[in-house]
Amino acid sequence: MMKMRHRIGLLIIIAFVAYSFIAFQTSLTPYVSFAQAKSSTGAVQVRGVLATEKITVTENGKTVTFLLRDETGEEVPVIYQGSKPEGLDQATSIVAVGKYQNGLFRAEKLLIKCPSKYQGSVKPE
């Protein structure tokens, strides 16, 4: 009787570890270029910079559109459903997480790297 409980407990632990490993693997979102994003079926991360200074925000402020240039130089329109992230205009790097669909990249999340607010604050002596 006790051996059966040990086996069931061991099976539960193995199932939990396997499920955790699979969930972790599927949650990883790789960095890719737009060319690679076009052929990807899942969510990916594209790192780049603003290709132009034009950032369009809808009247209700719930959709942001801009042109992103990836590290290979390809430029693709990005649409983000949400409020405009602070610092997007001055971003030194933008990571768009989402999927490429119908000629544009639909971002679920935007990660913005801005210049440091302390940059240039040290005065030469």
Side-chain angles (χ1 to χ4, degrees):
M1 184 69 135
M2 193 61 149
K3 286 188 177 188
M4 184 59 108
R5 286 186 182 168
H6 285 296
R7 287 182 184 166
I8 292 173
L10 187 60
L11 284 174
I12 290 172
I13 291 170
I14 290 170
F16 177 75
V17 168
Y19 173 77
S20 298
F21 180 74
I22 291 168
F24 177 73
Q25 289 289 3
T26 57
S27 71
L28 294 177
T29 311
Y31 281 107
V32 299
S33 65
F34 281 125
Q36 294 166 313
K38 290 174 187 177
S39 61
S40 178
T41 57
V44 294
Q45 298 185 81
V46 178
R47 185 180 358 212
V49 295
L50 284 175
T52 66
E53 293 180 14
K54 184 179 178 188
I55 298 170
T56 306
V57 180
T58 56
E59 283 185 36
N60 64 3
K62 299 291 184 191
T63 304
V64 180
T65 307
F66 58 92
L67 197 60
L68 186 68
R69 181 182 306 120
D70 72 6
E71 294 175 337
T72 68
E74 185 174 358
E75 297 178 359
V76 171
V78 174
I79 293 182
Y80 172 66
Q81 298 293 325
S83 301
K84 179 181 171 187
E86 193 171 322
L88 182 62
D89 304 80
Q90 300 87 27
T92 57
S93 176
I94 300 168
V95 176
V97 181
K99 295 180 181 181
Y100 185 89
Q101 295 176 327
N102 304 323
L104 50 90
F105 192 84
R106 295 193 178 277
E108 302 164 1
K109 188 181 342 179
L110 294 176
L111 308 171
I112 310 298
K113 181 177 180 184
C114 297
S116 172
K117 65 180 179 182
Y118 303 108
Q119 203 171 26
S121 64
V122 177
K123 295 180 182 175
E125 292 181 27

